[in-house]
Amino acid sequence: MHGFNRPLGPIGSNVVAPIQTTSSGMLVTANKLVPGQEAIDFKGYFKVESFPHNSVIYRPGDTTDRVYLLKSGRVRLMRLGKNSSRSVVSILRPGDLFGELFRPEGTPVEEMAIASGEAEVWSIEGRDFRAQLEARPALAVDVVRAYAERVRALRKRVLGLTFKEVPARLADTLLTLAEAHGERCPHGGETDLRGITQQDLADLVGASRSFVSTLINEMKRDGVLGNVGRILCIRDQKALRKLASKEK
């Protein structure tokens, strides 16, 4: 396929290590090549684009068959409802693959992908990526494992909607976001969550923004959460874990 067997170039933006999964199931690319790993030369296959904040990467109804890799920034995956309402389904971090890889050929995309802040996104034709999966079984296993992890995460959310009240779902979501997007807090807390809005949290836990805002304020009064400007700070993960474990 189009010269996939070309000699590899130097380490850089055109040569990436095989896509791998972390313990959380996220797809990541290594920041350097480790001796013994098989390198994949994607030169000439990835389209590299920068998207400003709130720009659309793809939208429902698109039929383009491409696989996307988030290299930097964040991307929100959203679903559109009636009257053009939007609901956040997932917030991606650098290293995540997205796009409906296993969508039947010719069928339209059902979700919307929007840049959150400036995002650098690499994309590759679906047929070329699938050729890589066929040629490299280990890569295919990594991708399937990551998608299976996403299914488990979705199942966890569904079970949370069934068996947990909103406060427990919110605590669970905050812990999950802290693992995926958290940064070390320089002002006395444990973890900062930058760029995560209360509307994001409301969408992810299946509650109204006003109710989530009330719960966040209660957690702030209890010393579980804090904030500096618009940055939400987790101050007590142990308390969050205790709250997240509660069921109806």
Side-chain angles (χ1 to χ4, degrees), residues 83-100:
N83 302 319
S84 298
S85 61
R86 298 179 178 183
S87 178
V88 175
V89 176
S90 182
I91 301 174
L92 306 180
R93 66 178 179 179
D96 281 350
L97 272 183
F98 61 107
E100 298 182 19

Side-chain angles (χ1 to χ4, degrees), residues 93-167:
R93 66 178 179 179
D96 281 350
L97 272 183
F98 61 107
E100 298 182 19
L101 177 60
F102 301 115
R103 174 168 50 91
E105 186 174 355
T107 59
V109 172
E110 296 181 353
E111 66 187 11
M112 174 181 283
I114 298 180
S116 179
E118 185 168 347
E120 180 181 331
V121 177
W122 292 14
S123 65
I124 186 172
E125 288 286 348
R127 64 177 180 272
D128 290 339
F129 189 74
R130 286 188 288 272
Q132 289 289 333
L133 298 184
E134 292 174 2
R136 295 171 170 83
L139 176 62
V141 169
D142 282 341
V143 171
V144 170
R145 184 183 297 120
Y147 270 79
E149 182 63 29
R150 290 185 185 182
V151 171
R152 284 193 290 271
L154 178 59
R155 179 175 178 270
K156 180 181 178 182
R157 285 180 62 186
V158 172
L159 290 174
L161 291 171
T162 303
F163 296 109
K164 292 185 177 182
E165 300 288 358
V166 176

